[in-house]
Amino acid sequence: MRNFLAFIWEIIKIVILALLIVVPIRYFLFQPFIVRGQSMEPNFENGDYLIIDEISYRFREPKRGEVVVFKYPKNPSQRYIKRVIGLPGETIEIRDGKVIISNGEKSQVLDEKEYLSSNLSTPGSIRVWLKWNEYFVLGDNRISSADSRQWGPLLRENIVGRVYLRLWPLTALAKIEVPDY
């Protein structure tokens, strides 16, 4: 009986130790996210299993081109996935199918060829100036994406983290890189 109790006590210690390691990692550093919908196709498909890095943005701000998961501004209980296009202090204009970014000194058409096909344009006509804590996000599937064109800039406080890794499907296993502009 004493051996059995010692065995049970060892199991309990292992479970407690595992929880002390796994729970903080899961809730404060990385968390899983499953893509729902078509707004990020062809780069992220419905059902893709992603790992979200929650810690990077505690030390730095999001960069243009990063794919982020955030609390949907109209319903914070929902999580959305989009690509950061506009940064705080910039003016974003969508005109003639192109995304134009101005920072006060210069304007440039955003070169998105690393993640969008060349025949894809961005529908809409909008001009938005971003405040110090706002980001402009778009889905990669511009025709089927509800994004900053519809509900406005994304507040920094709503960003949960950046997409770091795609785990599923295994054929698409990859670390998610930020495009060069």
Side-chain angles (χ1 to χ4, degrees), residues 39-40 66 70 81-86 92 94 99 110 112 115-116 122-123 126 136-142 145-151:
S39 73
M40 290 299 288
E66 287 184 319
F70 56 92
I81 178 174
K82 304 289 179 211
R83 189 175 302 274
V84 174
I85 300 298
I92 307 301
I94 297 175
V99 178
L110 186 63
E112 300 180 283
Y115 52 89
L116 296 180
T122 304
I126 188 171
F136 195 87
V137 295
L138 292 174
D140 289 351
N141 184 355
R142 302 290 164 82
S145 177
D147 47 40
S148 288
R149 292 173 292 174
Q150 286 80 34
W151 36 260

Side-chain angles (χ1 to χ4, degrees), residues 32-37 40-52 81 163 165-173 176:
F33 180 80
I34 298 174
V35 176
R36 299 278 181 238
M40 290 299 288
E41 288 180 351
N43 299 305
F44 298 93
E45 303 284 335
N46 188 48
D48 282 3
Y49 188 87
L50 310 173
I51 298 296
I52 309 307
I81 178 174
V163 176
L165 187 67
R166 180 187 354 243
L167 289 179
W168 186 262
L170 289 177
T171 56
L173 176 69
I176 306 305

Side-chain angles (χ1 to χ4, degrees), residues 5-180:
L5 291 176
F7 174 75
I8 295 297
W9 177 241
E10 286 300 314
I11 296 293
I12 290 171
K13 288 193 300 189
I14 290 170
V15 168
I16 290 171
L17 184 60
L19 288 174
L20 288 174
I21 294 170
V22 171
V23 169
I25 289 172
R26 164 62 175 84
Y27 285 99
F28 300 110
L29 301 176
F30 298 98
Q31 81 172 256
F33 180 80
I34 298 174
V35 176
R36 299 278 181 238
Q38 302 162 342
S39 73
M40 290 299 288
E41 288 180 351
N43 299 305
F44 298 93
E45 303 284 335
N46 188 48
D48 282 3
Y49 188 87
L50 310 173
I51 298 296
I52 309 307
D53 167 11
E54 294 184 325
I55 196 160
S56 289
Y57 294 157
R58 294 178 191 194
F59 302 104
R60 68 170 181 82
E61 294 302 312
K63 298 176 185 172
R64 185 179 339 278
E66 287 184 319
V67 178
V68 296
V69 171
F70 56 92
K71 298 173 193 168
Y72 176 49
K74 302 223 182 253
N75 182 355
S77 68
Q78 292 182 5
R79 301 288 187 265
Y80 273 35
I81 178 174
K82 304 289 179 211
R83 189 175 302 274
V84 174
I85 300 298
L87 304 174
E90 294 179 332
T91 299
I92 307 301
E93 184 176 3
I94 297 175
R95 176 174 28 108
D96 301 326
K98 295 180 178 18
V99 178
I100 303 160
I101 298 175
S102 306
N103 64 7
E105 299 170 6
K106 64 175 185 164
S107 293
Q108 69 179 29
V109 174
L110 186 63
D111 180 7
E112 300 180 283
K113 66 182 172 215
E114 279 193 49
Y115 52 89
L116 296 180
S117 67
S118 59
N119 62 349
L120 184 74
S121 65
T122 304
S125 178
I126 188 171
R127 184 178 173 91
V128 178
W129 178 74
L130 301 172
K131 297 176 186 161
W132 66 272
N133 65 337
E134 295 178 331
Y135 292 83
F136 195 87
V137 295
L138 292 174
D140 289 351
N141 184 355
R142 302 290 164 82
I143 294 170
S144 300
S145 177
D147 47 40
S148 288
R149 292 173 292 174
Q150 286 80 34
W151 36 260
L154 174 66
L155 293 175
R156 170 67 176 88
E157 64 197 41
N158 287 340
I159 298 176
V160 173
R162 70 183 174 104
V163 176
Y164 180 74
L165 187 67
R166 180 187 354 243
L167 289 179
W168 186 262
L170 289 177
T171 56
L173 176 69
K175 181 177 183 249
I176 306 305
E177 300 293 339
V178 180
D180 290 326

